[in-house]
Each structure stands twice: as structure tokens, then as C-alpha cells.
């Protein structure tokens, strides 16, 4: 029976080659979009699932609260002093481990000339292998990191420094002064991990005073730079720990101005598999994804597949009159309804199967482009993994059943006598269902066009927003930890080149999150009043404002003329408002305390976007603390930039011979802040184009069929004197009305979706209402061009042929 179904299905498909081609083209394009997005979604949802104990591993995060109780900072790391108290106070936790991220230079002791700047270096506790599934290729996981100054390398790092020779027992030099003995080699963690260590140094090494010091590890509650993980017992409720955290902090944390620890600090637990998509903290070891975009793109995939299914259903309903006679004849000669349903469904599943083959080929061809675009490592073999094949099979079955449902269940329900008498043919030709399906198609397409336009406008707004500082022609370098006196010598040598206009030294540069903060207070007479709002701190030198061309709103810049400026402050306008002074001038000369610094406010700068436009301009204070500064900014002229860079490199090697010369341009860093939005814009554009194209395929086929069905009517109208324009208008108007209705439905839905999306930006555009007009013009124009091709062809046909066809 199945063989017979397939044979008849093949004959039916070959008989109507044009409709078959359109169906397969539309379905294959829809399935390709679905499979590409499914690969992406599957990858995003699979992060950190490779750990056998993934559902029991939790990371501790720390939130800071200002005096008004508002959360001001969210960190995925905690201070080192928590670690011993965690172990003592929570003995029920199976394992507690931690990682401290570093970057620095590495080289072999017998080849000091060949050195590399490496990132993703971590100091790790010796029980790290009992928590996470590192595959150790060489070495004993129980002892590899138990001794000070031991290290485990990833396989690529081992090959980089030692080639194919086993590195076990050999030494490697870190930051030109620490010799670490290699005790193991591990396989790199999969791409679907929230961390990707290249090197694991033993945490026992941190007790050395040159690195962190034993006392610092015990007493440092402020340096929140340790990623700390709990391995909980089976079936243990993490909520029990979170309930115990406030009392734990009150017991151990030092009080701030009489405030207990739980009043200014919160501890939370995040399951490791949830970090990538759900943990959006102010500091993450690696940038994560966002579950919101998983939902958005999953919805887009389903919508595009729905559009493709609607195409099939539209053509099925359009051909329903002729297929109804087929059903009537077959039922009259004894066919059962179940057999007819099987026939129609096998036909639709067969079409979908052909479309799937094309979709798999297209998806495989698109994989390299997809990997470049998403920075992932999706492989061809994933297309044939069990889970993905199951997804593809379900997609084919659901698509095939949905697409073939109308002829299978609607047409086969009629009695043969009704069909053969022609009593339902006229009803089928009215096409109410087709109208609903066309409206649905174009509503989805119009919504995607509107969303794409809003994303484009928001990104354009961010990229062209005035930042309040100079970002062009500024080179940024990190790892500059010289003293103030040494830095002045460095600065003077750099400025000897005519292509360099200014140099500055700071703790952070624009485009980096402002995470540093110390308690601020304002002095009034003999008393000091704490500032309830958290003020972010930035350590600068005398040339920061001048180098970045930041505008003063009141007072003056730091100056070497005033020796007291080493303890004075410059605030931004947001800080002035947060503190409550009536204007900028009122702050000048006021006594101000920040941490253990005590001085006066000498200047106020106009607000500028130090961070991205996702964040509001934070209240900020600039001060002079050389020990905090590690970043060098060099402002160069546009005339001879290569020569200026060459001069900077020459001076750099004189002052920092052990540090490779590496730099970035600030404007590139600025653009990198919005990479996610740029990719979203591109994806929306692609999917909007695909949805329009698939919709137009169906519209073209419907117009073709309509022209065929109304051939006699068109012939009569032309004989009676109708013009080509009137015939084109007659055939096009009905379709254009449907597109307009679709636009009216899509507009409020798209507006609401974009309203929610824009909320993620502290600085955003208002919904551009003109986008609706542009979308209407595009949708109606494209629909008209699609339909008019067949309308004009029908209008130009010789009416004699049309009338003779009857």
C-alpha cells in the first residue's frame, strides 16, 4: 500500500512540475533556515553539559549594594578571604574549588629570547579535577597541582613550547621570574564551556609573597577576582546555602561604617550550565550568550518554516477544486477515507523529504560561514548526530503533516455525490482559507521587516552617538605598571615623535566597564556624610582629560602646579547629581573622601559615555593613584600613523623588554562593544529577506493559478473592451488587500516586540513610526511586482484562446 501511495505521489508531482518546484524550493529554504538556527540553538543550550557532575556544580557570585539598598555591582567572582570560611562553615559541600585568571608572558628557561604574551592562564586549586571534567592526557590528577610552582598545560600549549616531546618534569618561566615545573597535560575543554584555560598553575603558589601572599589570601575581602565553585551533594537544595549566606557574611565580613556584611554584600549561586545563557554579570571570565536570543531565533525558525508550510497549503487549497473531483471519483469506486488521507499525506511528506535533502546540503555548505559569523566550531558531523537527526526528522514529519493536512482531512471528508455534483467546487474556489494563510505569511514577513528596521536604527544611533571623548587615532596598551616617575620618562620619550600628540596612564580606558569602587563621603564641617549612591573610581594622571579631549563643566583639570592634586578629585556631572549639589560650581572646593583618599573637588567634567550605551552614565570620580594604573593611551596624528606606531614600539621595548608589544585602537574597541547588535541586525535582515522570498514564491504560484482559473473571465472582459491596466488591477487588488491586512496585524505585534528589545539599552531611539510606511511600501511593492508579472501575462493573452479553452 505504501509503495502504491509513493508511486501515485510521484506521478502527481511530475504532472504539476511548476507547483512541485515552488513547493520544494520554499520548503527547502524554510528547512535550511530551521536547521541552521537549530544547530545554533542546540550549541547554545549545550554549554557545560559535558561535565558529568554539571547539575551539581554551582558558581558563587557576589553582588554589592549601595547604602540605599540598590544593587550597584554584580560579579561572577568573589574575594579570596571567602574560601577558607566556606570550607569551615559549609562542611556538607563535597568540594569547593576556585580559579584566579591571569595574563602574562611565558618562555622556556633555556630560550629567554622567545617569549609570548599568553591569556587564559589560571591559578587553580588541586581539587579542580574532582569538580570539572578535564581530560588529563599526562600526569596524575590527584597530585598534579598539589605542590607550589607546579603547572598543567593544555595540549596545544605543550606543543607550542615543546613540540611533540613530553613536557612532564620540565620547567617553564612565567612573567620572567617564576619557574614552574610541568606535572600534566590536559585536553582543551570543548567549545561549549564558559571557561577555556590554556594553563593551570597550582593555587598553592599564590602563598608566595611575590604573587599574592598567604596573608592576602586570608584577609583580602575587597579583591573580588576568584571564580569559586561548589560541588553539592546529590539532591542537595542550593537554596539552603543561599539562605545561610547572609548570616555567614555578617559573621565574617568586616563592617563598613557600622554596617554588617549582608547589608552591603550578597552571595548567590548559579548552576554552571546556566552561566552561559542566564548569567549576565558585570564580570564574566568569557562573554556569554543570552537565552532571550535563543528564544527569538527559535521563534524566527519556526515562523519561517510556518511560512514555507503555508505555501504548500496555499497551493493545495488553490488546486482543491481539481483534487476534489479526484477524491470524489476514487471514493465512488470504493476507496476508503483512510486510504485517501494516507495518499495525500505521503505526497506532502515526500515533497518535504526532497526539501530536507536539499536543506541538509545547503546547511553543510553554510557551516563555514555560520562558524565565522557566530565564532563557533559547528561541524558537519553534528548534522548527523542522533539528537540533530531526530530534530530534522521531526521537522520533516511535522512540516509534511501540517502542509498536507488540508487536502488530507478536509477534502476527504466530503461525500462523493457532493463532489461529483460540483456542489463544493464553487466554495473551494472562494479561497477563504487561502486568504487567511496569505495574511499570516505576510504578517510574519512584515513583522520581521519592521524589527530589522528598528535594529538598524538603534545600532546606527549607538555607533554615531556623541561619546563625549575622542576615540579616533588612540592606541591602547595594557600591562604598564611602572612607577609615576618612570612613567613620566616614558611619556617624554614617546612625545619626542612629531606624530604623537599626547600620552596618558590610567586604570581603565573608555569602552571598559567601570567596576572599581570605594566608599565615598562628603565632609561638612567636622562630620562626613556617606554618599548613598555608589561612585565608580578611575585612577588617572595629569593628561587623561587632555588626551581624551573631555570637556570641563566647572573648575579645572589636574595640574602638576598644585602638589595637593595627588589627593584631590574630579567628578562627572552624574556624580554631582547623585550627591545632591544644586549645580556643578557648588561642588568646587568641597571636601571629599574616597576610600582612604581625602582631598578637595577641583573640577567637574561633562558626562561622557565611558561604558557602552547599554549602561547609563555612572557617577564617577577621577583621582591620582599610580599603583592602580596599568593602561597606556597614546594619541597620534593621522598623517604618519605607521611611523608613530613604530616609535611607540621602539620605546616600549626599551622600558618593557619582557613584555611583547601589543596594542589596539580605541575606535575598534568601541565598535566591538556592539558586535552582538551588528550580528543581530544581519540575521534579522537575512531572515526577513528569506521570509519575503518564500511568501512571494507562494504568491507567485497563487497568482499563476488564479490567472488560469479566471482565463475565460479575462477573455470576456477583453472582448468587451477592458484595457490591460484594468485587468492587471482586477487580478492584483485582491492580493494587495491581503498584504495590507497583514501589515495592520504585524505592526502592533512588531512594535511591542521592539519596545521590549529597546529596554535593554540605557540610551535608545524612540520607535521610528516612519518604519511602518517603509515596510508598507516594500511589502505592497514586492507583492504587486510578484502578482503583476502573471497578471500582465494573463491580460496580454489572446482572448480567442482563452474562450476556446472551454
Amino acid at each position: 500500500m505504501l509503495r502504491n501511495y509513493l508511486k501515485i505521489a510521484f506521478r502527481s508531482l511530475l504532472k504539476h512540475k511548476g507547483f512541485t518546484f515552488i513547493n520544494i524550493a520554499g520548503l527547502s529554504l524554510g528547512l535550511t533556515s530551521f536547521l541552521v538556527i537549530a544547530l545554533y540553538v542546540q550549541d547554545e543550550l549545550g554549554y557545560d553539559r559535558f561535565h558529568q557532575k554539571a547539575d551539581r556544580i554551582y558558581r558563587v557570585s557576589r553582588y554589592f549594594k549601595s547604602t540605599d539598598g540598590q544593587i550597584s555591582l554584580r560579579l561572577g567572582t568573589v574575594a579570596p578571604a571567602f574560601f577558607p570560611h566556606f570550607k569551615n562553615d559549609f562542611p556538607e559541600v563535597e568540594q569547593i574549588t576556585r580559579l584566579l585568571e591571569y595574563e602574562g608572558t611565558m618562555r622556556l628557561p633555556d630560550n629567554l629570547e622567545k617569549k609570548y604574551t599568553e591569556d587564559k592562564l589560571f591559578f587553580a586549586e588541586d581539587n579542580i579535577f574532582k569538580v570539572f571534567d578535564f581530560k588529563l592526557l599526562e600526569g596524575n590528577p590527584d597530585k598534579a597541582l598539589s605542590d607550589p610552582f607546579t603547572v598543567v598545560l593544555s595540549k596545544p600549549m605543550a606543543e607550542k613550547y615543546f613540540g611533540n616531546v613530553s613536557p612532564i618534569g620540565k620547567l617553564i618561566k612565567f612573567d620572567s621570574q617564576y619557574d614552574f615545573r610541568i606535572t600534566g597535560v590536559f585536553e582543551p575543554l570543548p567549545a561549549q564551556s564558559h571557561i577555556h584555560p590554556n594553563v593551570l598553575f597550582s593555587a598553592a603558589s599564590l602563598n608566595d609573597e611575590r604573587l599574592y601572599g598567604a596573608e592576602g589570601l586570608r584577609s583580602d575581602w575587597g579583591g573580588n577576582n576568584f571564580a569559586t565553585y561548589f560541588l553539592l551533594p546529590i539532591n542537595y537544595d542550593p537554596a539552603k546555602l543561599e539562605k545561610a549566606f547572609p548570616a555567614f557574611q555578617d559573621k565574617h565580613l568586616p563592617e563598613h561604617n557600622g554596617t554588617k556584611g549582608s547589608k552591603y554584600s550578597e552571595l548567590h549561586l548559579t548552576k554552571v550550565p546556566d552561566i552561559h545563557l542566564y548569567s549576565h554579570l558585570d564580570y564574566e571570565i568569557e562573554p556569554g550568550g543570552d537565552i532571550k536570543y535563543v528564544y527569538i531565533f527559535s521563534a524566527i525558525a519556526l515562523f519561517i518554516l510556518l511560512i514555507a508550510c503555508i505555501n504548500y497549503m496555499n497551493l493545495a487549497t488553490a488546486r482543491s477544486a481539481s483534487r476534489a473531483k479526484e477524491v470524489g471519483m476514487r471514493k465512488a469506486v470504493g476507496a476508503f477515507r483512510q486510504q485517501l488521507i494516507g495518499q495525500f499525506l505521503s505526497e506532502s511528506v515526500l515533497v518535504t523529504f526532497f526539501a530536507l535533502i536539499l536543506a541538509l546540503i545547503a546547511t553543510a555548505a553554510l557551516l563555514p560561514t555560520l562558524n565565522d559569523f557566530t565564532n563557533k566550531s559547528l561541524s558537519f558531523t553534528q548534522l548527523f548526530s542522533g539528537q540533530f537527526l531526530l530534530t530534522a526528522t521531526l521537522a520533516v514529519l511535522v512540516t509534511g503533516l501540517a502542509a498536507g493536512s488540508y487536502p488530507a482531512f478536509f477534502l476527504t471528508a466530503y461525500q462523493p455525490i457532493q463532489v461529483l455534483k460540483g456542489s463544493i467546487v464553487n466554495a473551494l474556489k472562494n479561497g477563504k482559507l487561502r486568504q487567511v494563510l496569505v495574511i499570516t505569511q505576510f504578517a510574519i514577513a512584515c513583522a520581521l521587516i519592521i524589527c530589522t528596521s528598528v535594529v538598524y536604527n538603534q545600532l546606527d544611533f549607538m555607533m554615531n552617538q556623541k561619546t563625549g571623548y575622542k576615540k579616533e587615532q588612540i592606541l591602547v596598551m595594557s600591562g604598564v605598571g611602572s612607577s609615576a616617575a618612570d612613567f613620566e620618562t616614558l611619556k617624554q620619550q614617546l612625545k619626542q615623535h612629531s606624530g604623537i600628540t599626547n600620552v596618558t596612564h590610567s586604570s581603565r580606558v573608555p569602552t571598559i566597564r567601570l567596576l572599581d569602587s570605594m566608599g565615598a563621603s562628603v565632609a561638612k564641617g567636622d562630620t562626613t556624610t556617606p554618599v548613598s549612591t555608589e561612585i565608580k573610581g578611575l585612577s588617572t594622571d595629569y593628561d587623561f582629560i587632555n588626551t581624551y579631549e573631555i570637556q570641563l563643566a566647572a573648575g579645572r583639570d589636574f595640574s602638576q602646579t598644585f602638589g595637593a592634586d595627588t589627593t584631590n578629585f574630579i567628578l562627572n556631572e552624574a556624580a554631582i547629581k547623585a550627591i545632591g549639589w544644586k549645580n556643578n560650581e557648588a561642588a568646587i572646593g568641597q571636601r571629599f573622601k574616597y576610600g582612604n583618599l581625602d582631598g578637595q573637588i577641583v573640577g567637574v567634567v561633562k558626562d561622557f559615555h565611558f561604558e557602552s550605551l547599554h549602561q547609563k552614565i555612572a557617577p564617577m570620580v577621577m583621582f591620582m593613584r599610580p599603583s592602580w594604573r596599568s593602561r597606556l593611551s597614546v594619541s597620534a596624528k593621522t598623517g604618519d600613523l605607521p611611523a608613530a606606531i613604530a616609535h611607540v614600539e621602539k620605546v616600549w621595548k626599551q622600558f618593557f623588554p619582557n613584555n611583547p608589544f601589543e596594542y589596539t585602537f580605541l575606535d575598534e574597541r568601541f565598535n566591538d562593544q556592539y558586535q552582538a547588535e551588528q550580528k543581530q541586525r544581519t540575521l534579522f535582515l537575512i531572515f526577513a529577506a528569506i521570509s519575503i522570498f518564500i511568501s512571494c514564491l507562494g504568491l507567485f504560484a497563487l497568482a499563476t493559478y488564479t490567472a488560469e482559473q479566471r482565463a475565460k473571465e479575462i477573455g470576456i472582459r477583453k472582448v468587451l473592451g477592458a484595457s490591460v491596466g484594468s485587468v492587471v488591477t482586477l487580478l492584483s487588488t485582491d492580493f494587495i488587500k491581503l498584504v495590507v491586512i497583514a501589515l495592520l496585524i504585524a505592526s502592533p505585534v512588531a512594535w511591542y516586540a521592539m519596545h521590549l528589545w529597546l529596554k535593554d539599552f540605557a540610551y535608545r531611539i524612540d520607535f521610528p513610526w516612519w518604519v511602518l510606511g517603509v515596510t508598507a511600501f516594500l511589502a505592497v511593492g514586492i507583492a504587486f511586482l510578484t502578482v503583476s508579472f502573471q497578471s500582465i501575462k494573463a491580460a496580454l493573452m489572446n482572448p480567442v484562446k482563452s474562450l476556446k479553452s472551454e
Side-chain angles (χ1 to χ4, degrees), residues 73-88:
L73 188 65
R74 295 173 172 85
L75 299 176
T77 49
V78 300
F82 278 105
F83 186 69
H85 297 295
F86 280 152
K87 295 175 73 174
N88 289 333

Side-chain angles (χ1 to χ4, degrees), residues 600-798:
Q600 289 185 332
I601 298 173
V602 298
V604 178
V605 295
K606 290 186 177 180
D607 284 338
F608 62 99
H609 293 280
F610 196 97
E611 303 171 304
S612 78
L613 270 70
H614 290 91
Q615 287 84 32
K616 289 184 177 180
I617 294 177
M620 184 177 68
V621 56
M622 300 181 195
F623 52 88
M624 311 276 283
R625 178 173 279 188
S627 61
W628 277 33
R629 303 174 201 156
S630 61
R631 289 177 172 85
L632 179 71
S633 302
V634 179
S635 178
K637 293 180 181 179
T638 56
D640 193 6
L641 188 59
I645 294 175
H647 176 71
V648 174
E649 182 177 9
K650 179 181 177 182
V651 175
W652 176 275
K653 289 181 177 179
Q654 291 176 6
F655 279 79
F656 311 106
N658 295 324
N659 295 351
F661 177 66
E662 296 175 345
Y663 67 90
T664 57
F665 284 104
L666 190 68
D667 54 355
E668 293 177 353
R669 296 171 64 102
F670 177 84
N671 293 335
D672 288 345
Q673 295 178 112
Y674 307 113
Q675 272 192 353
E677 286 74 27
Q678 290 173 349
K679 290 180 178 180
Q680 291 158 26
R681 178 181 68 176
T682 303
L683 287 173
F684 271 109
L685 179 63
I686 292 171
F687 292 133
I690 290 173
S691 64
I692 282 288
F693 179 76
I694 296 175
S695 299
C696 288
L697 271 180
L699 204 60
F700 179 82
L702 285 178
T704 302
Y705 185 79
T706 301
E708 290 176 359
Q709 294 297 309
R710 301 180 70 174
K712 182 178 180 182
E713 175 191 348
I714 294 169
I716 294 172
R717 286 177 180 274
K718 290 195 70 178
V719 168
L720 295 176
S723 65
V724 172
S726 64
V727 173
V728 171
T729 302
L730 173 71
L731 295 177
S732 303
T733 300
D734 290 341
F735 290 110
I736 301 304
K737 285 180 182 177
L738 300 180
V739 175
V740 171
I741 294 172
L743 182 67
L744 294 175
I745 294 172
S747 296
V749 175
W751 172 85
Y752 181 72
M754 287 294 95
H755 176 71
L756 295 178
W757 181 77
L758 288 169
K759 280 185 175 181
D760 284 345
F761 302 91
Y763 300 92
R764 53 186 177 265
I765 60 171
D766 293 325
F767 186 88
W769 294 103
W770 56 264
V771 164
L772 301 181
V774 172
T775 303
F777 176 79
L778 286 174
V780 172
I782 293 171
F784 179 76
L785 289 174
T786 303
V787 175
S788 63
F789 178 83
Q790 284 299 328
S791 301
I792 293 171
K793 182 179 176 182
L796 293 175
M797 185 179 293
N798 189 337

Side-chain angles (χ1 to χ4, degrees), residues 153-203:
L153 305 179
S154 68
K155 185 178 180 181
M157 290 293 285
E159 292 174 347
K160 177 178 179 179
Y161 287 92
F162 299 96
N164 294 324
V165 179
S166 174
I168 301 298
K170 292 182 169 58
L171 297 178
I172 196 163
K173 189 175 285 290
F174 173 61
D175 271 358
S176 303
Q177 55 180 323
Y178 308 107
D179 287 329
F180 282 81
R181 180 171 52 86
I182 300 169
T183 55
V185 176
F186 64 89
E187 192 74 40
L189 292 181
Q192 294 170 292
S193 174
H194 76 288
I195 52 172
H196 293 92
N198 288 324
V199 174
L200 295 174
F201 297 110
S202 63

Side-chain angles (χ1 to χ4, degrees), residues 10-25 319:
F10 266 114
R11 290 174 180 172
S12 177
L13 296 175
L14 291 173
K15 183 179 179 182
H16 304 281
K17 296 182 181 66
F19 290 123
T20 301
F21 172 78
I22 289 174
N23 272 329
I24 292 178
R319 294 172 55 212

Side-chain angles (χ1 to χ4, degrees), residues 580-594:
W581 282 307
K582 60 181 180 180
N583 55 48
N584 297 326
E585 288 73 17
I588 305 301
Q590 296 283 353
R591 192 171 158 216
F592 189 78
K593 292 186 68 176
Y594 194 67

Side-chain angles (χ1 to χ4, degrees), residues 446-615:
C446 289
L448 285 174
I449 293 174
I450 294 170
C451 292
T452 302
S453 301
V454 173
V455 172
Y456 255 85
N457 279 273
Q458 174 62 21
L459 184 59
D460 184 67
F461 168 77
M462 292 190 297
M463 300 299 288
N464 295 294
Q465 178 79 349
K466 290 184 178 180
T467 58
Y469 63 87
K470 175 189 174 184
K471 60 179 183 291
E472 294 78 18
Q473 303 301 118
I474 290 185
L475 283 71
V476 176
M477 288 144 278
S478 61
V480 186
S482 60
S483 67
D486 291 339
F487 180 75
E488 285 302 315
T489 306
L490 169 66
K491 181 189 297 185
Q492 294 308 316
Q493 289 200 26
L494 287 172
K495 293 178 72 173
Q496 287 177 6
H497 192 278
S498 59
I500 294 175
T501 59
N502 225 321
V503 182
T504 187
H505 196 203
S506 58
S507 58
R508 296 181 185 271
V509 296
T511 70
I512 295 179
R513 291 299 308 276
L514 284 167
L515 302 179
D516 301 323
S517 177
M518 298 187 291
S521 58
V522 179
K524 294 183 180 179
D526 295 330
T527 62
T528 57
T529 304
V531 177
S532 60
T533 303
E534 185 172 55
I535 309 293
K536 303 293 185 180
L538 176 68
S539 176
T540 70
D541 63 359
Y542 296 103
D543 293 305
F544 184 85
I545 291 175
N546 189 31
T547 301
Y548 282 99
E549 298 180 5
I550 299 167
Q551 296 184 14
L552 282 165
R556 61 173 176 82
D557 194 358
F558 292 130
S559 173
Q560 290 177 312
T561 306
F562 302 90
D565 271 359
T566 55
T567 58
N568 286 338
F569 305 96
I570 295 176
L571 277 64
N572 67 350
E573 291 177 310
I576 301 301
K577 293 175 184 176
I579 293 170
W581 282 307
K582 60 181 180 180
N583 55 48
N584 297 326
E585 288 73 17
I588 305 301
Q590 296 283 353
R591 192 171 158 216
F592 189 78
K593 292 186 68 176
Y594 194 67
N596 58 3
L597 298 177
D598 192 346
Q600 289 185 332
I601 298 173
V602 298
V604 178
V605 295
K606 290 186 177 180
D607 284 338
F608 62 99
H609 293 280
F610 196 97
E611 303 171 304
S612 78
L613 270 70
H614 290 91
Q615 287 84 32

Side-chain angles (χ1 to χ4, degrees), residues 146-416:
S146 57
D147 297 329
F149 294 101
T150 53
V151 62
V152 176
L153 305 179
S154 68
K155 185 178 180 181
M157 290 293 285
E159 292 174 347
K160 177 178 179 179
Y161 287 92
F162 299 96
N164 294 324
V165 179
S166 174
I168 301 298
K170 292 182 169 58
L171 297 178
I172 196 163
K173 189 175 285 290
F174 173 61
D175 271 358
S176 303
Q177 55 180 323
Y178 308 107
D179 287 329
F180 282 81
R181 180 171 52 86
I182 300 169
T183 55
V185 176
F186 64 89
E187 192 74 40
L189 292 181
Q192 294 170 292
S193 174
H194 76 288
I195 52 172
H196 293 92
N198 288 324
V199 174
L200 295 174
F201 297 110
S202 63
S205 314
L206 294 173
N207 289 295
D208 190 290
E209 295 298 327
R210 297 171 297 170
L211 285 168
Y212 214 110
E215 180 57 32
L217 292 172
R218 285 193 299 269
S219 61
D220 182 4
W221 294 99
N224 296 281
N225 44 17
F226 282 81
T228 304
Y229 302 87
F230 286 4
L231 175 62
L232 302 184
I234 297 174
N235 298 326
Y236 188 89
D237 185 4
K240 293 180 180 179
L241 286 175
E242 291 197 318
K243 288 180 181 178
F245 281 154
F248 169 82
Q249 291 189 103
D250 289 342
K251 176 182 177 182
H252 297 292
L253 282 179
E255 294 187 359
H256 282 179
N257 299 321
T259 303
K260 290 186 176 181
S262 61
K263 299 300 181 183
Y264 65 83
S265 174
E266 290 182 0
L267 295 177
H268 297 274
L269 293 175
T270 304
K271 188 183 292 187
V272 163
D274 293 341
I275 290 175
H276 178 69
L277 290 176
Y278 295 93
S279 178
H280 310 295
L281 304 182
D282 295 308
Y283 174 71
E284 296 282 358
I285 293 175
E286 293 185 13
D290 194 330
I291 189 63
K292 175 178 62 180
Y293 291 113
V294 170
Y295 291 145
I296 289 174
F297 291 122
S298 297
I300 288 175
L302 292 174
F303 282 143
I304 290 178
L305 197 57
L306 176 61
I307 289 174
C309 290
I310 287 173
N311 263 6
Y312 190 102
M313 295 179 72
N314 266 336
L315 295 180
T317 57
R319 294 172 55 212
S320 57
S322 59
R323 297 302 297 270
K325 292 180 181 179
E326 175 191 341
V327 171
M329 288 294 296
R330 294 181 67 181
K331 292 185 79 170
V333 296
F336 293 107
R337 187 187 180 198
Q338 292 83 353
Q339 293 174 317
L340 295 173
I341 290 174
Q343 174 62 55
F344 282 115
L345 290 181
S346 63
E347 186 175 313
S348 62
V349 170
L350 185 63
V351 170
T352 311
F353 177 74
F354 286 138
L356 175 65
I357 294 174
L358 294 176
L360 286 171
I361 295 171
T363 303
L366 288 170
L367 271 183
T369 303
L370 181 64
N371 285 332
D372 289 341
F373 188 78
T374 59
N375 295 322
K376 291 185 178 295
S377 302
L378 303 174
S379 65
F380 182 76
T381 55
Q382 286 180 259
L383 291 174
F384 301 98
S385 66
Q387 185 176 0
F388 192 78
L389 279 178
L390 178 61
T391 302
T393 302
L394 288 175
V396 168
L397 290 175
V398 171
T399 303
L401 294 175
S405 59
Y406 177 81
F409 296 102
F410 182 72
L411 293 181
T412 59
Y414 287 102
Q415 294 298 320

